[in-house]
Amino acid sequence: MELSAKSEYALLAMLQLALGHGKGEPMQIKEIAQCQSIPDRYLEQLLADLRRHGLVKSQRGARGGYLLAREPFAIHLLEIVQCIEGQDENETAPNTLEASIVREAWDESRRAAEQVLKGHTLQKLCELHDRRQSTVMYYI
Amino acid sequence: MELSAKSEYALLAMLQLALGHGKGEPMQIKEIAQCQSIPDRYLEQLLADLRRHGLVKSQRGARGGYLLAREPFAIHLLEIVQCIEGQDENETAPNTLEASIVREAWDESRRAAEQVLKGHTLQKLCELHDRRQSTVMYYI
DNA sequence: TTAATCCCCACTAACTTGGTGGAGATTTAG
DNA sequence: CTAAATCTCCACCAAGTTAGTGGGGATTAA
């Protein structure tokens, strides 16, 4: 039930890309890594995963970097986590009546969690981010 | 987000104890393990954990075994999972605005899952079990 | 042509998972 | 009192996961 560093890094990187989205320029691994205090060599692998799953696209060479593959309102948190965490589908069937009952309860709980993540898009997070930031500015 | 064997074993053992609850007799590790196809030496450790957290009580010696420490309606699935999975509280504080936003979204999702587990008591599972079993009987 | 950048593959240390093994303490039955 | 059944505790282990690090190669802009 805990958020792994891996997933948190991926979510942060995607949020960072979403915040920079609209400028059209790609964002580099190093830049993202520095902003969010993520080891860059590790983030590299996560971004490669995200690219293979079609959530971001990359541009190689000088002034290259990463861009969101879709608009921020069309990317929700569940797909980010699922793509990075690997959705292992090969679970063995329950072999007792009790096991199937326990599994059902667990599945219901998991679905509830997934629905919440599905409800959060990168755009929503960006809007929340902007509101927070302007509030902070107000106090300064 | 996946149910570990460890947690599933604990949930199954607790459900088994709940099904046998009322007879007043303790149930042995071996018996539970056989019914649910759990390695008995491993289950032993899980039951010890559950006992230390006050969810079950044990009786040593011949004809000893385990009993629920509370009535089945007063034990919900969340506490079983939390006690077995170990609720590690020492998470580092988010150091960026983005990190706190991501954490909040994740926490909301986790709370949704926990609420579902909290809503399921052992008694509810037992009732569901009895309904299923009588339905099966009907077909035979 | 060169510097910046992504791409890919391999390696690792520490930790977790899912167990197994063995000796000891306690209780009931006979 | 003794023996068998049962829980208790501590240690050990193999395989997998996590969170990285390292080194070189391919591609592109200036």
Side-chain angles (χ1 to χ4, degrees):
Chain A
M1 319 263 292
E2 296 307 308
L3 180 57
S4 66
K6 200 171 172 182
S7 290
E8 182 168 7
Y9 292 166
L11 290 168
L12 287 171
M14 291 296 284
L15 177 53
Q16 196 76 34
L17 287 174
L19 289 169
H21 190 257
K23 287 203 289 292
E25 288 181 355
M27 193 175 293
Q28 292 83 38
I29 293 179
K30 273 189 184 171
E31 191 180 348
I32 303 173
Q34 257 186 350
C35 287
Q36 299 299 335
S37 317
I38 303 173
D40 53 355
R41 298 302 311 275
Y42 191 44
L43 180 58
E44 178 187 311
Q45 298 173 55
L46 304 183
L47 283 168
D49 260 356
L50 293 168
R51 178 179 53 78
R52 289 186 203 104
H53 283 83
L55 288 182
V56 301
K57 51 191 177 189
S58 65
Q59 199 165 319
R60 301 174 70 164
R63 321 217 18 180
Y66 286 91
L67 291 162
L68 292 184
R70 305 202 293 274
E71 296 298 311
F73 68 81
I75 302 178
H76 52 74
L77 304 194
L78 179 59
E79 48 187 338
I80 300 174
V81 172
Q82 277 184 342
C83 125
I84 224 66
E85 213 74 13
Q87 55 288 18
D88 19 41
E89 303 296 342
N90 38 11
E91 34 190 53
T92 61
N95 44 8
T96 67
L97 174 55
E98 292 78 27
S100 64
I101 287 174
V102 163
R103 292 279 182 94
E104 276 170 38
W106 182 265
D107 279 348
E108 187 189 334
S109 158
R110 185 175 43 72
R111 277 194 304 271
E114 289 179 352
Q115 277 309 111
V116 170
L117 291 181
K118 216 169 193 168
H120 285 300
T121 65
L122 286 180
Q123 183 161 39
K124 280 182 64 172
L125 263 56
C126 285
E127 286 162 6
L128 186 55
H129 181 270
D130 291 346
R131 279 202 297 281
R132 295 271 175 93
Q133 201 157 52
S134 61
T135 305
V136 171
M137 296 295 283
Y138 176 78
Y139 282 115
I140 293 173
Chain B
M1 320 263 290
E2 296 306 308
L3 180 58
S4 66
K6 201 171 170 182
S7 289
E8 182 169 5
Y9 291 167
L11 290 168
L12 287 172
M14 291 297 283
L15 178 53
Q16 195 77 35
L17 287 174
L19 289 170
H21 189 257
K23 287 203 289 291
E25 288 181 356
M27 193 175 295
Q28 292 85 37
I29 293 179
K30 275 189 185 172
E31 190 180 348
I32 302 173
Q34 258 186 349
C35 287
Q36 298 298 334
S37 317
I38 302 172
D40 54 355
R41 298 302 311 274
Y42 191 46
L43 180 58
E44 177 188 312
Q45 297 173 55
L46 304 183
L47 283 167
D49 261 355
L50 292 168
R51 178 178 51 80
R52 289 187 204 102
H53 283 83
L55 288 183
V56 301
K57 53 191 174 187
S58 64
Q59 200 165 317
R60 300 173 71 165
R63 321 218 16 180
Y66 287 92
L67 290 162
L68 292 184
R70 305 201 294 273
E71 296 298 311
F73 68 81
I75 303 178
H76 51 73
L77 303 195
L78 179 59
E79 48 187 338
I80 300 174
V81 172
Q82 277 184 341
C83 124
I84 224 66
E85 213 74 12
Q87 55 289 18
D88 19 43
E89 304 295 340
N90 38 11
E91 35 190 53
T92 62
N95 44 6
T96 66
L97 175 53
E98 293 78 27
S100 65
I101 288 173
V102 163
R103 292 282 183 92
E104 278 169 36
W106 182 266
D107 278 349
E108 188 190 332
S109 158
R110 186 175 43 71
R111 278 194 303 272
E114 289 178 352
Q115 276 311 110
V116 171
L117 291 181
K118 216 170 193 166
H120 285 300
T121 64
L122 286 180
Q123 182 161 40
K124 280 182 64 173
L125 263 56
C126 285
E127 286 162 6
L128 186 54
H129 181 272
D130 291 345
R131 279 201 296 283
R132 295 271 175 94
Q133 202 158 52
S134 61
T135 305
V136 171
M137 294 296 282
Y138 177 77
Y139 282 113
I140 294 172

